[in-house]
Amino acid sequence: MYDNGQTLTLDRHFQDHVDATVPVQVYYQTDHKDIGFVEVYNSHFIKVNNIFYNRSLHVFISRPGY
């Protein structure tokens, strides 16, 4: 599916992670903020662990096997 550490940017990336229940790691600049499963997403936000993260401010990384 996705490599560990692969950056997620497209809606289909997030939908694949929802479908396969693969966790994502969230970064703000270089700081780790969260890791968990995508609950909901739209063109502006990704919800992980009941927190909405702005897609234009945060980086989302695939973490299969975590």
Side-chain angles (χ1 to χ4, degrees), residues 19-47:
D19 293 344
T21 58
V22 173
V24 298
Q25 194 165 9
V26 182
Y27 283 89
Y28 176 73
Q29 297 176 351
T30 60
D31 297 330
H32 171 262
K33 292 297 176 187
D34 206 350
I35 190 165
F37 300 99
V38 175
E39 298 169 34
V40 175
Y41 65 91
N42 65 31
S43 59
H44 301 286
F45 294 95
I46 306 295
K47 185 178 180 185

